[in-house]
Every structure is written in C-alpha cells, then in structure tokens.
Amino acid sequence: MSGPDNASQIAYWNGPNGEAWAKVREKRDSDHAFLTAALIDRAQPRPGEHVLDIGCGSGTTTLKLAELVQPKGYVLGVDISRPMLGVARRRGVAAKSGAQFLEEDAALCDFEPQSFDLAFSQLGVMFFANPVAAFRNVHRAMKPGGRLHFACWRHPFEHLWAFVPESAAKPFLPQSPPADPNAPGRYAFQNPDHVKSVLLQAGFLAPEFEKLDARNFAGATPEAAAASLIEAGPLQRTLTGMDDATRARVRAAVTERLAREMGPGGIYLTSAAWLVRARA
C-alpha cells in the first residue's frame, strides 16, 4: 500500500494513527462491508488459488479470501502497518486460518514471480508513491492471465461520506495549496483515465471500471455521526496534530452540517467507489 519514497506513509501507519485504526477495526469493517462484499463477488476467488491481498490492514479481506480458496489455496496479506498486522495475525490464529501476513511494501516486495492467480486490494493501492512501478511489481508476481481486482474511491464530490464532514471542517483548518489529484492518497485513483494509463503501462490488459454506491449509516444523531466521522472516519487523519480548540470548533461545525442530513432512521451518507478489474 505504498511506494519507493514512502517514509511518511510508513511513519503514519506505524504511529498513533495506525494504532487508532487497529483499535476501530470493527467500525471500519462495518463502514466498508458493502465494498468488501461487492469486491469479493467480482473477484470470484476459487478453491486452490493463490491470492495476494495488497494493503490488507487488520486482515478482514484476507481472512474472507482464505476461506474461499480452501482447502488447498493460499492467501498472503501484505501491509506496512505493524499495529494492524498484529490484529490480523491474532485474528488469523483465532480463526485457525491458513492466511499468512507479511509486513512489507507491496510496491517493492520480492514476490515469487508468477505465483498468484488473483491480486486483490480494498482501498490500498491509492497510496502507491509510484503506481506504475508498484503495479509492475504486482504484475511480475502474477501468473499469466491472472486477475487483478481492487476498489478505490471516486471523486470527492461523489464520495459524500468524506466530502460532507471535510467541507464543514475546512474553514477551521490551515490553508493548503491545491493538491495534485493524482498524488498518493485517498483520491489518487478517482480518474479512470489515469488509472487505465497506470495499469496499461504496468503491463495489465483490458482494465474495466464499475461504479459502486452505497448509503452508509453515520449515526443516529448529528452528535453521534460527528463523533464517528471524527474519531474513526475520514476526519481522523485530517485532524491529526490539531489543538483541542480547533478540534472543538470542527466538531461543532460538522455536527451542525450533519443535522441537515438527518432522516427518520438517522444520518446516512453516500460512499462512492470504483471497482476495477484487469488481466495480467
């Protein structure tokens, strides 16, 4: 889930924020359940296959994939976050899973050539510092004709799960210059033409894109939704290092904005993803 010049990503995912993500694993799983189900359905892992799970985090997708390729299959989950991999390994032992986990950068890892039938990633590949080089490394690890399936977020204007709270928070945060839309990060793969170019340059064939939208539950009240989105959601990283006064102002603004989304069953916001597939 990283690339050649990835010291900042490694530091982030192995510091307090990586530990925080590991602690809210169940919340993340719930938020991304629609994505996990759709991505595994499209990838169709089969008994006996060898699968590479890129940016496996706390192991949810890896363990699900391992169940589907048994009894003779093999799944390797790769991530740079030691805290999340610790959770993944404990879960694997508890589940008596045959899944294996490796603390490594998938962009640089010396995988056995032509060893995987399926390369899979739920929201991991957008953080590659050099995506063409990273996908070339993944391509080398895949068997001829192997399948690549991954999910990434679409344009922030469509991904209201993050856009709504982040827009409310923005007036209270330090100004920053406009970001390169293709720079490593949450929205690096929002543009399908860019993603297609990356994959073709890396050696993959016939990239295809499918839109996936879901209305996700954020909270029963504006206060609960704001707390969730700040403490275990898209604003968690945005507010890293902010002082208490700033965090309080952001929480108030986000709560006020989310009140406008309140419906009979609580607050729901749209998540908008691409499901991407290609062949090695």
Side-chain angles (χ1 to χ4, degrees), residues 39-64:
L39 192 56
I40 289 180
D41 176 72
R42 291 355 178 239
Q44 289 290 300
R46 303 165 189 138
E49 288 192 320
H50 288 195
V51 181
L52 173 64
D53 188 6
I54 303 164
C56 67
S58 296
T60 298
T61 51
T62 314
L63 297 175
K64 289 181 181 293

Side-chain angles (χ1 to χ4, degrees), residues 183-241:
R186 186 188 302 157
Y187 299 115
F189 282 5
Q190 62 180 273
N191 183 342
D193 290 334
H194 169 64
V195 179
K196 182 180 292 187
S197 174
V198 166
L199 294 177
L200 293 174
Q201 290 180 72
F204 286 96
L205 305 174
E208 297 180 16
F209 300 79
E210 176 186 351
K211 286 186 174 182
L212 180 69
D213 295 287
R215 290 282 287 172
N216 276 359
F217 180 69
T221 65
E223 293 78 10
S228 175
L229 294 167
I230 289 170
E231 296 163 10
L235 282 174
Q236 181 182 11
R237 184 169 191 172
T238 305
L239 294 177
T240 297

Side-chain angles (χ1 to χ4, degrees), residues 78-99:
V78 179
D79 206 289
I80 59 173
S81 175
R82 190 174 299 114
M84 286 197 283
L85 285 173
V87 174
R89 290 179 174 126
R90 290 192 293 274
R91 296 176 69 198
V93 170
K96 298 181 180 179
S97 172

Side-chain angles (χ1 to χ4, degrees), residues 2-262:
S2 54
D5 301 311
N6 205 35
S8 63
Q9 290 287 343
I10 292 172
Y12 177 86
W13 292 110
N14 285 285
N17 286 285
E19 294 172 359
W21 274 60
K23 290 177 181 177
V24 298
R25 188 271 303 172
E26 292 183 358
K27 171 69 166 55
R28 297 285 182 185
D29 286 353
S30 176
D31 291 345
H32 296 155
F34 78 100
L35 198 54
T36 304
L39 192 56
I40 289 180
D41 176 72
R42 291 355 178 239
Q44 289 290 300
R46 303 165 189 138
E49 288 192 320
H50 288 195
V51 181
L52 173 64
D53 188 6
I54 303 164
C56 67
S58 296
T60 298
T61 51
T62 314
L63 297 175
K64 289 181 181 293
L65 291 164
E67 291 177 5
L68 295 170
V69 301
Q70 293 305 314
K72 296 183 179 180
Y74 170 76
V75 181
L76 176 64
V78 179
D79 206 289
I80 59 173
S81 175
R82 190 174 299 114
M84 286 197 283
L85 285 173
V87 174
R89 290 179 174 126
R90 290 192 293 274
R91 296 176 69 198
V93 170
K96 298 181 180 179
S97 172
Q100 299 294 312
F101 295 96
L102 178 66
E103 184 185 339
E104 184 60 89
D105 184 338
L108 302 173
C109 187
D110 189 18
F111 297 115
E112 183 73 23
Q114 299 187 9
S115 56
F116 293 104
D117 302 281
L118 169 65
F120 180 101
S121 183
Q122 178 176 288
L123 306 176
V125 295
M126 305 100 75
F127 298 94
F128 285 141
N130 185 333
V132 173
F135 274 111
R136 280 179 183 154
N137 194 49
V138 172
H139 186 275
R140 282 193 293 270
M142 297 180 67
K143 297 177 183 179
R147 311 181 314 282
L148 170 69
H149 283 261
F150 66 84
C152 55
W153 296 127
R154 301 206 312 269
H155 194 282
F157 291 168
E158 299 175 90
H159 185 50
L160 300 184
W161 179 260
F163 183 74
V164 167
E166 289 180 335
S167 296
K170 188 175 181 180
F172 305 95
L173 303 176
Q175 290 189 346
S176 57
D180 177 356
N182 298 331
R186 186 188 302 157
Y187 299 115
F189 282 5
Q190 62 180 273
N191 183 342
D193 290 334
H194 169 64
V195 179
K196 182 180 292 187
S197 174
V198 166
L199 294 177
L200 293 174
Q201 290 180 72
F204 286 96
L205 305 174
E208 297 180 16
F209 300 79
E210 176 186 351
K211 286 186 174 182
L212 180 69
D213 295 287
R215 290 282 287 172
N216 276 359
F217 180 69
T221 65
E223 293 78 10
S228 175
L229 294 167
I230 289 170
E231 296 163 10
L235 282 174
Q236 181 182 11
R237 184 169 191 172
T238 305
L239 294 177
T240 297
M242 295 295 170
D243 59 83
D244 290 344
T246 298
R247 295 180 70 90
R249 287 193 290 270
V250 167
R251 185 180 292 265
V254 172
T255 301
E256 181 181 359
R257 173 62 182 85
L258 290 172
R260 290 153 52 189
E261 303 292 331
M262 187 71 187

